[in-house]
Amino acid sequence: MQGKDLRDLLEAHPNAKHHLSDANDYLVSYRFDTGTEVAFDPRTVKKCSVFLAKMPPAGLYHPDDLVIYEDDDEPSSALRRVSTKLASTRPLYRVKLKDPDRAKELLDWARLA
């Protein structure tokens, strides 16, 4: 799954809206109608991943596809520019996405989390 695939999913999602992009499009964020935000790099072509404020249920990802950022870990310098909410959240989660169907399930879960 590529970053453009995730962007397409979010653009088509009835409850998501583009929130912010950094100047070079290294990272973008989308906000759901519930206030939940997700961020990702839309330029990735091999390993697309999404930042989330809450840990998703185990059935929505493979354990090797989850990265947890705690305390002083800096996941991305661009995160502050696209989502102050996610940038200040610890722990912060990044889930690698491989399958569009599972990505859609993850986004639907994230919206309500």
Side-chain angles (χ1 to χ4, degrees), residues 83-103:
S83 177
T84 55
K85 184 186 284 188
L86 288 172
S88 64
T89 299
R90 293 297 181 276
L92 180 69
Y93 304 92
R94 187 180 76 207
V95 179
K96 296 176 192 169
L97 304 172
K98 296 177 182 172
D99 177 272
D101 291 331
R102 185 159 288 174

Side-chain angles (χ1 to χ4, degrees), residues 2 4 18 20 22 35 46 51 58 66 69 72 75-76 78 80 82 86 88 90 93 96-98 107 110 112:
Q2 299 180 355
K4 68 181 181 77
H18 177 257
L20 291 170
D22 74 341
K46 292 185 180 179
F51 288 106
L66 178 71
Y69 297 95
D72 294 332
S76 166
R80 283 175 269 130
V82 300
L86 288 172
S88 64
R90 293 297 181 276
Y93 304 92
K96 296 176 192 169
L97 304 172
K98 296 177 182 172
L107 293 174
L112 300 172

Side-chain angles (χ1 to χ4, degrees), residues 1-89:
M1 184 163 175
Q2 299 180 355
K4 68 181 181 77
D5 300 324
L6 182 55
R7 179 178 261 168
D8 290 346
L9 277 174
L10 284 161
E11 286 291 326
H13 199 288
N15 304 105
K17 182 184 259 187
H18 177 257
H19 180 55
L20 291 170
S21 298
D22 74 341
N24 297 314
D25 215 24
Y26 288 129
L27 210 62
V28 299
S29 64
Y30 280 74
R31 182 178 285 168
F32 290 99
D33 59 345
T34 57
T36 301
E37 294 178 8
V38 297
F40 64 98
D41 181 348
R43 302 164 307 125
T44 58
V45 293
K46 292 185 180 179
K47 295 182 181 178
C48 180
S49 62
V50 63
F51 288 106
L52 304 167
K54 295 192 178 178
M55 184 171 184
L60 294 180
Y61 67 92
H62 185 277
D64 294 338
D65 294 336
L66 178 71
V67 177
I68 302 172
Y69 297 95
E70 297 187 43
D71 301 327
D72 294 332
D73 290 346
E74 184 65 35
S76 166
S77 60
L79 194 55
R80 283 175 269 130
R81 294 188 293 273
V82 300
S83 177
T84 55
K85 184 186 284 188
L86 288 172
S88 64
T89 299

